Structures are given as structure tokens and as C-alpha cells.
Amino acid sequence: MNRVDADLALQQINQLDDDNQADLSAFPGRNGWPVVGDGLAFFRDTLGYMNHMYAEYGPVFRMRLGPMESLTLVGPDPQQMVMLDSHNNFSTSKGYATSLGEFFPQNLLLRDFSDHKKHRRIMQTAFKNQMLESYMPALHTIIRKHVQQWGQQGELVFYKAVKAALLEVGSEVFLGMEMGAEANRINQAFIDLVTGSTAIFRHNLPGTAYARAIKSYRYMHDFLSSQIEDKRNGDQTDMFSLFCRERQENGDYFSDDDIVHHISFLLLAAHDTTTSTLLTMLYEITRRSDWQERCREELQTVSDDYLKYADLATLENCSYCFKETLRLYPPVIGMARRSIREFDYGGFTIPANCTISTSSLLTQRMPELYHNPNEFDPERFAPGREEHKTHPFAWFPFGGGAHKCIGLHFAEMLTKVTLFEMLRHYRFTARHHDPDFAFIPFPKPRDGLPVTLASLG
Ligand code: HEM
């Protein structure tokens, strides 16, 4: 198939009719129940449901969740085709319009091709190595304070605890706000927005999650807008300030609305993904205490009381655990796109205007790619095995191509700083191992992972 010019593709995206997407009834798959489709089965046991669909219908299957019908493509080849999109066949903005459009409008995932490129520039300074390094002391200070509090409690539900710590990271490192009443209000507004985005009941009636999200959206928008002038003229180096001072190609600042949309989305993109990673990683290393010990020993070889940026790459066991966690529990279990035009794949002709989902969840557990794929085995990433290198898209928790996660190094740095603060002083034990996992909106043990901390003395 011929490559279509990106500007033409951008125009064609606007012609896709959201209310009349392609008819997929000829594809393998099923409709599920009236109205809800397979929504209940999908939410109750996402991994089980997806495994079943793949086994029953093969690597291209149709599913219906409520009113949303989509085609899932399983395997590294289709992930590569969709993510790299060398023919400009796929719209990311249309793929995410329904889930993100209302409360996180005009963010980077809601932009395509040249428009996306123009806007991704707003983040370029904030994610340079030198800036990443500059965030490390603040990360250590915040996480250390929280871990000390956890140690005093002795027992806690890790999900709640880590969420609170990472909200503080968001306030200080992303927004440049000290914790206090204002930061708490912003954090609550952010939580309301995330909850409202996934609300099934979407009517603006008092007391509902959806109504709270609408109110919080206005509050957040007004608050962030009110800060821009000061941040533009100041010399703070939080990410929000850097966005305010970043310039477009023509030398102009980005508009106030652009800045607000991009920084709001950054909070979303960073928060639940890293919370989920730390949660699922701790889940695994409390089951596999040998790996908890290996990470601890490695972290104890760091002579300073703080990790330096250069230390990060030397923490091999922590890296393997990070990668293995993201293989088994990718926080973004599938990446959404809409086909701009018809294309051929796997013996099928897939029509234009069809929602496509890649599946990192299924692909990263394929026995063709990974030995004992459902087992937590971080060593598979070590030299000599490196199972993830059998295909460029065997391991892709951060996506790929133009929309590849801009925060991947930040995520790894935050994870390692948190492990450093946690494991050097405490041994973590899960109070029970509940294998019941939710994968939507992000992977997490449903019980939130109650843990006990024992001081190492
Ligand atoms: C382990 C943690 C994380 C995972 C697994 C993750 C995963 C992803 C994935 C899969 C995408 C691409 C989605 C697609 O193509 O459909 C993405 C995009 C993005 N992520 Fe992350 N992310 C993580 C952490 C972060 C952090 C910490 C930040 C910021 C500090 C961040 C900021 C972004 C942004 C801004 C985008 C949009 C990029 C674009 O459209 O150009 N992410 N992330």
C-alpha cells in the first residue's frame, strides 16, 4: 500500500464520521450482550477475557464494550505496523477521542502528524537528561518522607500510600507547588477528573462523579491559567514553568490554553502509570523475595545516601524487575488508533474508520516470544537471554513511533528512587497474596496490596 502524505492524512481524519464507524460484523469475534456487549466480562477479568478471545478467534478479533466496537491486533508485527505507521494510515486522536477528549482535551494523544509534532515540542526541555537529573533531589526528599511515615505505621495498603506520595511528586516536580491547601485542592481536582473520565453515568447531576469532574475541570483550568504569567517571567524549573517558557518554531510562546491542556495531561500520563508500576512490582517482589533481596543488595552497594543520575544505569537487577513488571502488567494495556483508510493485514482487508487496538497485554505474554510467559522472571532481560530483543515490538510498554512515551526515563528514575528509599531500610511482606487483578483503568491487585514493613535496623 502506498504511503499517503501526512498533510493529506490530516485532512482525511477530519472526514471520519465518529457516529458511523465501519461495520465489523464480518470479522471473527462477538457482540456479547445487548447494550453492554462484553463490557462486564472485560472489566471483571480483563486478562482472562482477552486470552479467551485470542484463543477462540485468533490474532485479529472484534469485541464490543458497551457502544464501542473495535478490532484488536495481537502479535509484534501488527504493533510495529500500527505504532510506526510508515504509511500514515492511523489516527491517534480519533483512537483516544472518546476516552480522553472531554476532560483532557487537545493533549498530545489527541493530535496527529504535523500538529502533534508541533505540540510535542512543548515538552522537549523538561525531558532532557540534564533536567531529569535536576528532579532527582526532590524525588528523593518526597519519597523518603513518605517511606519514613510508612515505616512508622508498619502496615499499610500500598496502593493508597504510593498514590499519596506520587501526587506529591506531581505537585512539586510537575507543577512547582509546595504541599498545602492549594496543592491538595489541585490533587483532588485531578482525581475527580480521572474518575469522571471513566464514569459510565455521564449526566451532569449533582453528587455524581461526572458532575464533580466538570466542576474540577473548570477549577483546574482557571487555577493553572492564573499561574502562567508568573511562571513565564520566573526562573522555576518545574515542568509547568518549562512549558510556559518553551517556544514554538516561530519563536512564539505556546498559548495559555495549550499549556494548560498539556500540563493537565502530563499529570494524567505520569500518575496512574507509575503508581501501577510500583504497585505491581511490589506485588511480584513480595512473592519472589529472592528478587526483593537481589534489588536490595544492589541498592546497598550505592555508597551515597542518594542515587545519582549516573547510578541509575548500573542498577541491573532493578532494571530487570522494572522491565519484567511492565511486560506482565503494562499500565497501558492497549494503544488505540482509528484507521484513516482501508489497509490489509493478516489476510484481512480492514476498512477505514475502524477503531484498532494493539495489545501489549497479550503480545508481551506470547509463548512464541517469552519462555514461560506468565511467570515473573526478570532474568529473561539479562545478557545471554534478552528475550525482549527477538523483535523490536516484543516489549513495548511505552509504545513506539511518533507518540512513544516521552516520560519513559522519568518513570524508570522514579521507580528506582522509590525502590532505593524503600528497600534499603525495610523488608516488605504482603499480608496475603490476592491474585485478583484489575487491569482497567490500570493494572492493580484489587485489594490494593496490604503490606507489612519490617525495619532492617
Ligand atoms: C511506567 C510508566 C509509563 C508507561 C508504561 C507509559 C506508557 C505510555 C504509552 C504506551 C504511551 C503511548 C500511547 C500511545 O501511543 O497510544 C505514552 C505516551 C505518553 N506518556 Fe507515558 N507512560 C509512563 C509514564 C509516563 C510519565 C512518567 C510521563 C511524564 C512525566 C509520561 C508522559 C507521556 C506523554 C506526554 C505521552 C504522550 C506522548 C505523545 O503523544 O507524543 N508517561 N506513555
Side-chain angles (χ1 to χ4, degrees):
M1 177 170 291
N2 292 336
R3 181 177 197 277
V4 170
D5 177 73
D7 289 336
L8 176 61
L10 209 48
Q11 288 169 23
Q12 290 173 335
I13 291 170
N14 295 326
Q15 290 156 16
L16 299 175
D17 182 350
D18 294 341
D19 298 326
N20 286 302
Q21 291 197 36
D23 176 11
L24 301 179
S25 50
F27 285 87
R30 62 187 206 202
N31 293 331
W33 295 91
V35 186
V36 291
D38 271 340
L40 295 177
F42 178 78
F43 283 104
R44 200 171 40 228
D45 175 13
T46 308
L47 181 59
Y49 172 79
M50 295 295 279
N51 274 328
H52 168 76
M53 293 299 278
Y54 179 35
E56 185 81 17
Y57 300 109
V60 177
F61 63 81
R62 166 177 64 94
M63 62 183 191
R64 199 163 67 78
L65 308 176
M68 286 267 304
E69 201 171 32
S70 63
L71 276 187
T72 298
L73 310 183
V74 186
D77 288 341
Q79 319 306 314
Q80 182 162 15
M81 173 188 67
V82 174
M83 294 286 113
L84 299 188
D85 192 16
S86 52
H87 292 94
N88 297 328
N89 274 348
F90 303 105
S91 164
T92 306
S93 66
K94 287 288 183 188
Y96 286 106
T98 313
S99 53
L100 295 174
E102 188 166 7
F103 294 121
F104 295 94
Q106 294 174 43
N107 71 64
L108 280 185
L109 289 179
L110 298 182
R111 296 177 183 275
D112 287 296
F113 306 123
S114 53
D115 178 49
H116 166 257
K117 193 170 169 213
K118 176 178 153 196
H119 280 266
R120 191 162 156 125
R121 192 184 164 100
I122 198 172
M123 308 209 175
Q124 67 186 4
T125 306
F127 290 96
K128 285 190 172 144
N129 279 350
Q130 184 194 348
M131 288 315 304
L132 292 178
E133 188 168 4
S134 78
Y135 307 136
M136 282 188 79
L139 294 184
H140 270 294
T141 308
I142 296 166
I143 304 292
R144 184 165 299 182
K145 182 184 80 181
H146 280 266
V147 174
Q148 279 168 358
Q149 288 164 4
W150 303 347
Q152 283 158 14
Q153 291 169 42
E155 284 192 350
L156 46 87
V157 175
F158 191 64
Y159 173 62
K160 285 189 193 154
V162 79
K163 192 166 175 62
L166 297 195
L167 282 172
E168 195 166 332
V169 167
S171 301
E172 294 202 10
V173 178
F174 292 16
L175 299 182
M177 296 172 75
E178 299 268 313
M179 285 315 286
E182 192 79 80
N184 287 337
R185 266 193 87 182
I186 279 287
N187 282 341
Q188 189 51 52
F190 168 69
I191 291 169
D192 290 344
L193 283 183
V194 178
T195 314
S197 309
T198 52
I200 292 169
F201 183 79
R202 298 178 89 82
H203 297 283
N204 189 5
L205 294 178
T208 59
Y210 184 70
R212 272 196 301 280
I214 291 178
K215 213 167 139 197
S216 293
Y217 177 79
R218 284 195 211 108
Y219 168 73
M220 190 127 164
H221 193 281
D222 292 349
F223 175 80
L224 294 173
S225 301
S226 73
Q227 307 287 302
I228 292 176
E229 198 52 34
D230 281 353
K231 288 196 169 277
R232 201 166 263 153
N233 297 322
D235 58 1
Q236 278 183 285
T237 53
D238 56 86
M239 294 189 188
F240 184 18
S241 296
L242 297 175
F243 286 13
C244 292
R245 296 202 292 273
E246 197 68 70
R247 291 184 187 264
Q248 303 181 52
E249 226 164 38
N250 64 8
D252 291 349
Y253 289 124
F254 285 85
S255 75
D256 288 8
D257 271 356
D258 285 340
I259 295 168
V260 169
H261 293 141
H262 290 309
I263 193 69
S264 304
F265 175 67
L266 197 76
L267 294 173
L268 174 75
H271 180 74
D272 281 330
T273 49
T274 46
T275 303
S276 168
T277 306
L278 284 164
L279 194 62
T280 48
M281 184 186 269
L282 191 66
Y283 171 81
E284 286 294 351
I285 64 173
T286 48
R287 280 154 52 99
R288 290 290 306 272
S289 54
D290 53 333
W291 276 100
Q292 185 175 159
E293 207 46 54
R294 279 173 75 161
C295 291
R296 177 176 295 111
E297 278 170 15
E298 180 173 82
L299 292 162
Q300 282 170 339
T301 62
V302 176
S303 51
D304 288 344
D305 204 23
Y306 290 91
L307 281 180
K308 289 193 289 300
Y309 195 64
D311 293 328
L312 296 174
T314 68
L315 302 172
E316 287 176 352
N317 287 314
C318 294
S319 297
Y320 302 152
C321 283
F322 178 67
K323 288 197 173 104
E324 180 66 336
T325 301
L326 292 175
R327 183 185 71 82
L328 286 172
Y329 309 101
V332 183
I333 64 165
M335 290 148 229
R337 299 290 186 264
R338 186 100 62 87
S339 52
I340 304 172
R341 68 190 62 79
E342 185 180 282
F343 67 101
D344 293 329
Y345 174 71
F348 295 94
T349 297
I350 298 177
N353 205 17
C354 148
T355 298
I356 308 278
S357 177
T358 66
S359 181
S360 35
L361 185 62
L362 289 180
T363 304
Q364 295 185 160
R365 289 177 182 241
M366 283 174 73
E368 294 85 344
L369 299 171
Y370 293 102
H371 176 68
N372 286 337
N374 294 314
E375 230 168 73
F376 182 77
D377 177 11
E379 198 83 53
R380 66 172 87 244
F381 290 93
R385 285 180 66 188
E386 295 186 319
E387 295 174 11
H388 62 303
K389 291 197 175 162
T390 48
H391 189 291
F393 277 75
W395 186 83
F396 59 107
F398 295 106
H403 290 273
K404 185 166 184 178
C405 179
I406 203 165
L408 80 174
H409 297 301
F410 184 92
E412 184 162 357
M413 175 172 90
L414 175 61
T415 303
K416 288 179 175 170
V417 167
T418 308
L419 285 180
F420 181 84
E421 296 297 343
M422 285 170 45
L423 299 186
R424 289 202 323 160
H425 302 296
Y426 298 101
R427 178 163 293 111
F428 284 74
T429 317
R431 272 185 270 150
H432 52 89
H433 271 115
D434 186 347
D436 191 11
F437 255 78
F439 279 85
I440 304 292
F442 295 101
K444 113 183 207 310
R446 282 194 209 270
D447 63 4
L449 192 61
V451 290
T452 305
L453 286 75
S455 171
L456 297 172

